[in-house]
Every structure is written in structure tokens, then in C-alpha cells.
Amino acid sequence: MKDYQRGLKDGVAIGLGYLSVAFSFGINAVSGGLTVLQALLISMCNVTSAGQLAGLDLMVKLAPLAEMALVQLTINIRYSLMSISLSQKLAPEVTTPHRMAIAFVNTDEVFAVASAQPGLLGRGYLYGLITMPFAGWALGTLLGAAAGEILPGFLTRALGIMIYAMFIAIVLPPAKKSKPIRFVALAAGALSVLFYYMPGLHLSSGLSIIVCAVAAAALGAWLFPVREAEG
């Protein structure tokens, strides 16, 4: 119980941050034609801001299921890598069923906090750590979706921009410090603009995300390879 309480305390800040971001997602979901319950179920079954926003756009546009799956794979594959890394710090008591449950909410912020902890991590601490982020994500979505049904359209559109501001806030700090990250971010943005505006190159939103992300990452890996000594 003590470990759970410690994890719960460490997850409070993450949960509060997710509350505001999920609020924006809830507004966008209702604006796109989803009900409050549908928006809430999406957030309770998927704890991924970028993945949910991209998936919402594809759902609204009635994109093929294969395209949705590929987009989610491209955006969310990093969670698999983070889970593999975190598995090296898990105590023997964290068996496979517990690992699967914890991995469900192994977001970027949860991974960062968990990785910074000394020694092996037990299931009590990890369950405590993911409780507040999951609750904040679900509650924020519920509040945002409910607000989207009663607030004026101009206000919901303004509030819906918050989620894009979050993505900018995530990218800017590391981009300022790292030339490769800055290059990949700018390259992905430039490719996205090119596919959107150039005649004959227009792609659906899903395919555009896949092509831009993979092409920019591959170009960055080619121009800025990580040497073995740096790994």
C-alpha cells in the first residue's frame, strides 16, 4: 500500500496535465459528431493524445480501417519501445498480466517518471503511478465533451486549439537543444504542407501522417546517424 501511495503521488502532476489536454480532445470529438459517451469510451480504451486526435480525424472522414490501423501503428509504435525498455526495471512480482495492464497506460510522461526511479519497480508503485494519468485523461475527456455540447460554437473551436498548442509545447524544448530533432520536425511539417497544397500530391490525412512521419524520420536517421559510441 505504501508503494501504491508513493506512485499515486508521483502521478498527480501527470494526471492534472492530462486533464486539460483531454478536455480539448473531448471538445474536438463532440465537434466532429461523436456523442459524449463515444468520446469517453475512446479515451478509456486509448490513452494516446496524438493517436486519438489522428484517429478522430480519420473516423470523421470515414477513412478505411486499414488506413486507421497503419496511422495508429506509425504514431504509437514508440509505446512498444518504451515498454520494452521499462521491462528491464520491473521486479519479478510484475508478472505478464500485470505488465500488460501497466503497459496500457505507459505514456511518455509515465515512462519518464518510472525510468527515473532507483532500483527495481514493483507492481504497487506502477499501479499507483498510472492511476491519476488514466483518471485525468478520462475525466478531462468527459468534461470537454460535455462542455462541447453546451458551449457556443466559437468558444469550443477556440478551446479545441489547446491540443495543438500542447504538441507545439512538446516539440519546441527538445528541438531547441537538438539539431536532429529540429530537422525531423521541420521536415515532417514541410512534407505535410507539400502534400496538402501541391496539385497531384494530395494524400488523405491518414496516409499523409504515415508518409511524413516515416520519410522525415528516415531522412533524419540518414543525415544524423547515431554512432555506436554514443548509444
Side-chain angles (χ1 to χ4, degrees), residues 88-141:
Q88 309 306 306
K89 287 180 61 68
L90 301 183
E93 67 178 50
V94 188
T95 56
T96 299
H98 294 293
R99 290 177 181 231
M100 294 174 65
I102 293 165
F104 179 67
V105 197
N106 184 26
T107 62
D108 303 76
E109 293 78 12
V110 168
F111 171 75
V113 172
S115 298
Q117 302 304 309
L120 296 179
L121 301 174
R123 61 173 181 254
Y125 174 81
L126 291 168
Y127 278 127
L129 181 61
I130 67 176
T131 296
M132 293 305 294
F134 181 78
W137 190 250
L139 179 60
T141 300

Side-chain angles (χ1 to χ4, degrees), residues 43-85:
S43 283
M44 291 184 70
C45 297
N46 306 269
V47 188
T48 163
S49 54
Q52 287 183 213
L53 188 64
L56 174 64
D57 183 58
L58 294 175
M59 290 169 62
V60 171
K61 294 179 179 178
L62 302 178
L65 292 177
E67 184 176 332
M68 293 184 186
L70 286 173
V71 169
Q72 294 307 309
L73 176 64
T74 303
I75 294 175
N76 296 323
I77 195 170
R78 71 186 190 281
Y79 293 129
S80 298
L81 303 178
M82 291 190 297
S83 293
I84 292 173
S85 176

